[in-house]
Amino acid sequence: MTSTPPASPAFLAAYGETVAATWPPGTAPTTVPTPYGTTHLNSHGPEDAPPLLLLPGGGATSTAWYAQAAALGRTHRVHAVDLIGEPGRSTVGERPIRSVDDLHGWLDALLDGLGATEPVALGGHSYGGWIALHYALHAPDRLRKLILLDPTGCFSGFRPGYLLHALPMLLRPNAARTRAFLDWETGGSAGLDPHWLRLREEAAAFPVARPVTGPRPKPEALRALAVPTLVLLAGGGRAHDADKVAAAAHRLLPRAETAVLPDVSHHALPLHAPTAPELNRRMAEFLG
């Protein structure tokens, strides 16, 4: 059996405090066993409402979607997912996720475990957007809507300067390097919840598995995707050129709506307080 060391008490305490402080009343933990491990979700909204699964960016945990829970939970059962092998409360099982096919199998099993017999809505931010887009290409019949929030590795590469600033945090992660990188990319972490920032720093010491990465989806596969898609980009982000990504998404995805949100950075999404109302409005209108 493959396993990772348990999360530290400090991480679990910060996780619990973040959920308690930022998520709306009525939020409940959901756990779904899969062949790849037990998946933990923070769930909010009517239990009989259409499901909306939200995948976070790398290291951000499911708690990053707190600013969307109440707004989108009026019409959907929001399930914010802790990625297996990433910081969070999901646990690695007997079959570790080592490939894109494994990611597909995990999400198939997650939807089955949630009892999703009808197509669901799926969203992802950053790395979570990369996973969501690959899953849409794998199983378009299981999705009714797709939301990509400043997705990375989908329509363009990273800016070299972004990778250069991220390198110290990636090579030897710790709380100070994580905070320094977030301060650089977000312009001082203004508008970010302090509980979530503490959790993000604690996540630097989380025993993570190597994330699955890969090439961008092939243009011909994207052009064939019939799932209605909303692509929202961070106009003030440093990960990539938002305007170029928006143009590429509009060109490659036949059923995509694209927009650039001004004055917000890549890592401030989706929880940046000044931007959240506009983000939630666009997502809610798209979901219908």
Side-chain angles (χ1 to χ4, degrees), residues 22 177 187:
T22 61
R177 290 180 175 184

Side-chain angles (χ1 to χ4, degrees), residues 177-256:
R177 290 180 175 184
T178 297
R179 184 57 179 267
F181 176 71
L182 289 175
D183 284 346
W184 169 78
E185 203 282 325
T186 64
S189 300
L192 303 186
D193 182 83
H195 296 91
W196 183 85
L197 281 172
R198 180 188 162 221
L199 174 61
R200 188 66 180 81
E201 291 173 1
E202 292 292 344
F206 192 92
V208 298
R210 182 183 295 275
V212 173
T213 58
R216 281 176 247 165
K218 295 181 179 180
E220 56 269 27
L222 293 174
R223 293 189 181 103
L225 183 64
V227 179
T229 304
L230 176 66
V231 184
L232 298 175
L233 286 307
R238 300 191 180 194
H240 45 216
D241 186 313
D243 289 326
K244 289 183 178 179
V245 174
H250 182 73
R251 183 178 69 253
L252 292 170
L253 292 174
R255 301 192 65 185

Side-chain angles (χ1 to χ4, degrees), residues 9-138:
F11 173 85
L12 294 175
Y15 188 106
E17 290 169 7
T18 300
V19 173
T22 61
W23 279 69
T27 297
T30 303
T31 55
V32 179
T34 77
Y36 301 90
T38 299
T39 305
H40 178 94
L41 310 93
N42 287 305
S43 302
H44 182 78
E47 293 187 6
D48 59 350
L52 167 61
L53 271 68
L54 298 173
L55 308 180
T61 76
S62 63
T63 65
W65 294 100
Y66 65 78
Q68 285 66 55
L72 301 183
R74 298 188 186 103
T75 57
H76 287 74
R77 180 64 170 173
V78 175
H79 295 292
V81 182
D82 281 335
L83 303 177
I84 288 183
E86 285 275 323
R89 304 203 69 169
S90 294
T91 57
V92 177
E94 294 184 2
R95 293 171 59 185
I97 295 175
R98 291 176 174 164
S99 67
V100 174
D101 286 342
D102 289 336
L103 286 171
H104 296 163
W106 164 60
L107 284 170
D108 282 336
L110 179 56
L111 291 178
D112 291 342
L114 289 171
T117 58
E118 299 292 330
V120 306
L122 176 65
H125 169 236
S126 188
Y127 175 55
W130 183 85
I131 296 173
L133 180 57
H134 275 275
Y135 186 73
L137 295 171
H138 159 73

